Amino acid sequence: MNEFDSWLEEFEIRELLDLAHSSFDGGQYADVEQLVEEVLRHLGEPHLDNLPERIEARVLLGSAQLLQGKDIEDAFENFMWITSLVNNADYSSLFREDNISLSNVVEAFGKLIDCGSFLPDIALEDLFRTIDEGINWLEQIGRMEWLAAFRLRKGLLFLHQYKKEQALQELEATLALGYRYPEFIHLVECKITLAEALYISPLPDFERSLRLLEEALEEAEYPDELCRVYLLKAKVLREKNLRQRDFDEAFIAAQEAVEIARTLQANPYLSDAYVERSRISFEMEHYQDAVADLNEAERFYVSGSTIFASRGGLYMQMERYEEALADLNHAIELEEAEPWSLGQRGSLYVRMERYEEALADLNHAIELGGADPDPWIISWRGNCYLLLERYEEALADLNRAIELGGADPDPWTLGQRGELFLLRGSYQEALTDLNQAVALGTKGSDWRFYVRARVYRQLGQSELSNEDIQTAIQLLQTEKKNGTVYWWKNFNLALYTLFHGEDVSAQAQYEQLIATCPSAIPLQEARRDLKDVLELQPQHQLARQLRQQMNERIAVLQQTAHS
C-alpha cells in the first residue's frame, strides 16, 4: 500500500465522495478514479442501503473517463450498470423518494448517450431506444417532471444527425418543460441548445437565437457556461452579418469566449474558441491573425479534423497551396467521412487543375451529406464541371445549390451560374443572375462586375460594359490600398485592365506578375481567364503573347517543384 492509499484509508465514504467531486471540478480526473475506486472498495457488495453512494461514485467515475476521451468503453460500462438498475423492481421505491439518486440515474442516461455517440458499433437506433426506455421508466415511477432531461438529449441527437426540424421540435418541448419544472432541468443548457438549433436550422432564426443567448448570459452561473454562450453568440453573429461584412460584434463575443476559456482548467471549449475567432478574422481578411489562432487551437484540440480543415482552407486563400494540401490531407486522415474537409480539398484540386481528383472528393462529400448536402460543395462541383465545359452537369449542380439556399442564395453561386449562361449565349438569364449577385454586394464582387461587363459587351451595350469593368478595377485598387492582395487578385486586376483596352498598362502588370509569381497555380488560373479575351478577339496579339509567357513560366515552376 503506497502513501496515498494509506492516507485514503483515514476518510469516510462521504468525505471521499466530496473529495472526488472537488477533484472532478478541478479537472484532476486521475485522482477522481483513485478516489472512486476507494469508495467502491469501502462500500463492498451492492445492496439497497449503499446504492445511492454507489450510483453517485460510478457517475463520477464514468464522467471522468468520458472527459479524458481515452476510456470511452469503460465509461459506457459504468453508465450501463447504473441505467440497468431501472429494470429492478426492488429499487423503484428508492427512485420515487430520493431525488439525488434519481438525478444521478437521469444523468447516467444522458452520459450513456454521449458515450454511444463516440462508439462506432453503437447504432443510433440503440441510443434513441435508450432515451425511450428512460421516458417509460419515468412514467412507471410517476416522475414525469424529469422528462425534459430526456427530451433535451433526444434533441441533441437529432441535432448531431442534422435532423434539424426534429431537433427543433424536441428542444422547444424541452424548454417548455424547463419553464414548468425549473428545479429539474438546467434552463441555461436548454436555452443554449435551442439557440444552436435555431441558428443551424434550414430557415435560421438569428434574432430569437440571440435573444435566448442574452437570457442565458444573464442566468449562467459558471464560467464554462459563459464560455459556451459567448462562443455560440460569436457564431450566430458571424452568420447573421455575413452579407453586411460587419464582424465587430462577432469578434468581441469570440474574444470573450477565448478569454474565459483561458482561465478554466481542462476546458474543452478553448480550442473551439480559437477556431471561431480565426473564422471571424478570416472573414475580416486578417489572415495572419487567423493562422495564429488556429495554431493555438492545435495545441489544445482533443480530436477531430476541424482545425486542420479550417487552416487548410485558410492557407488556400493565402495561396500557400502545399501547406493547404498537407493540412487537408491530415484532416481527412483523421475523419474520412467529414464532408467539409473533402469539399475543401476538392476545391483546392479544382484550383490546381487536378479535375479527376477534385470530382472524386466532391462526389464523395456530397454522398456523405445524404439528404442534407452542403450547397457550397455542390457549387464547387458545378464550378469544376464549368471549367471542364460539361455545361449541363454544371447547370444542374448550380441550380440545386441555389435551390438549397432558399430565400438566401449565395452570391458566388449566382455569379457562377450567370457566367455559365454567358458561355451558353443565354445573355438575359445571365444578367438576371448577375444583377442579383451584384446587388448582394458581398466580398469578391469585382469578378461579378467583370462577368456582367462581358455580358453587356456581347449585347453591344458598351457603355454599361465600361461602367462595370471600371467598377471591378476600382474595387481591386481599393483592396490593394487597404491591405494585402494575393496573386490571383493581382492577375484579375491585370485581366480587367486588358479587357478595358488599356493594353500598355495590362502588359506591364502581367509581365511583372508572370516573372515574379512563385506558384504555378495562380498562373494556371490567370491562363484560363485569358480565354475570355481570346473568345471575344481570337487574334488578340497581346493576349496570345501573354498566354505563351504563362505557359513557359508554368513549365519552369512545375519542373522546379518536381526536381
Side-chain angles (χ1 to χ4, degrees), residues 60-124:
L60 270 171
L61 178 58
S63 299
Q65 291 166 334
L66 179 59
L67 281 173
Q68 290 179 95
K70 62 181 183 179
D71 298 313
I72 302 296
E73 291 184 4
D74 291 340
F76 189 79
E77 288 302 316
N78 271 303
F79 297 129
M80 276 293 291
W81 180 86
I82 297 166
T83 57
S84 69
L85 299 173
V86 305
N87 296 317
N88 191 322
D90 294 338
Y91 300 147
S92 58
S93 61
L94 171 69
F95 301 125
R96 286 195 186 96
E97 298 163 7
D98 182 353
N99 273 342
I100 294 175
S101 293
L102 178 58
S103 173
N104 280 322
V105 174
V106 170
E107 183 178 355
F109 267 104
K111 295 292 178 64
L112 181 68
I113 294 160
D114 291 342
C115 290
S117 301
F118 288 104
L119 297 175
D121 56 335
I122 304 296
L124 269 177

Side-chain angles (χ1 to χ4, degrees), residues 147 199 321 346 365 469:
L147 180 61
Y199 146 66
Y321 298 111
I469 200 64

Side-chain angles (χ1 to χ4, degrees), residues 165-376:
E165 290 182 7
Q166 296 98 317
L168 274 175
Q169 183 179 348
E170 289 295 331
L171 294 168
E172 292 281 13
T174 301
L175 188 59
L177 284 164
Y179 283 129
R180 187 176 176 189
Y181 302 111
E183 67 273 28
F184 295 101
I185 189 165
H186 193 33
L187 276 174
V188 170
E189 175 73 18
C190 286
K191 290 177 180 179
I192 295 172
T193 311
L194 179 55
E196 182 179 3
L198 289 164
Y199 146 66
I200 67 168
S201 70
L203 295 172
D205 189 341
F206 296 128
E207 296 301 334
R208 184 162 179 235
S209 181
L210 288 169
R211 286 197 300 273
L212 283 167
L213 291 173
E214 289 301 325
E215 291 177 20
L217 279 177
E218 293 177 6
E219 297 165 12
E221 299 177 29
Y222 306 106
D224 64 320
E225 291 175 342
L226 286 171
C227 183
R228 287 181 63 200
V229 175
Y230 277 118
L231 180 54
L232 183 54
K233 183 179 178 181
K235 293 177 182 179
V236 176
L237 286 167
R238 171 171 56 82
E239 287 296 318
K240 175 178 178 283
N241 297 322
L242 195 60
R243 295 287 166 81
Q244 292 83 4
R245 313 302 303 164
D246 181 3
F247 300 107
D248 290 345
E249 286 183 278
F251 188 84
I252 291 168
Q255 182 80 358
E256 289 283 355
V258 169
E259 292 303 322
I260 295 170
R262 281 174 174 163
T263 68
L264 301 175
Q265 290 182 310
N267 179 21
Y269 306 112
L270 183 54
S271 178
D272 290 344
Y274 277 122
V275 168
E276 180 54 33
R277 193 170 69 177
S278 81
R279 286 176 176 162
I280 296 166
S281 293
F282 172 82
E283 295 294 349
M284 298 170 82
E285 300 186 19
H286 299 164
Y287 297 136
Q288 296 298 341
D289 291 342
V291 169
D293 270 347
L294 288 172
N295 291 341
E296 282 296 301
E298 187 180 359
R299 292 175 53 213
F300 299 102
Y301 95 109
V302 177
S303 63
S305 60
T306 300
I307 292 166
F308 303 100
S310 297
R311 194 169 61 191
L314 183 56
Y315 282 146
M316 184 164 45
Q317 187 71 18
M318 298 171 74
E319 298 177 325
R320 293 163 61 173
Y321 298 111
E322 294 306 318
E323 292 165 284
L325 187 56
D327 264 350
L328 292 170
N329 285 341
H330 186 47
I332 291 163
E333 287 169 10
L334 291 170
E335 288 187 273
E336 294 180 2
E338 172 51 56
W340 188 44
S341 302
L342 284 162
Q344 291 266 75
R345 191 173 69 178
S347 70
L348 175 57
Y349 282 147
V350 171
R351 297 186 73 173
M352 298 170 82
E353 297 187 350
R354 292 164 61 172
Y355 297 124
E356 287 187 13
E357 292 163 285
L359 285 175
D361 274 353
L362 294 166
N363 288 339
H364 191 195
I366 291 167
E367 288 168 10
L368 289 169
D372 190 24
D374 189 329
W376 174 83

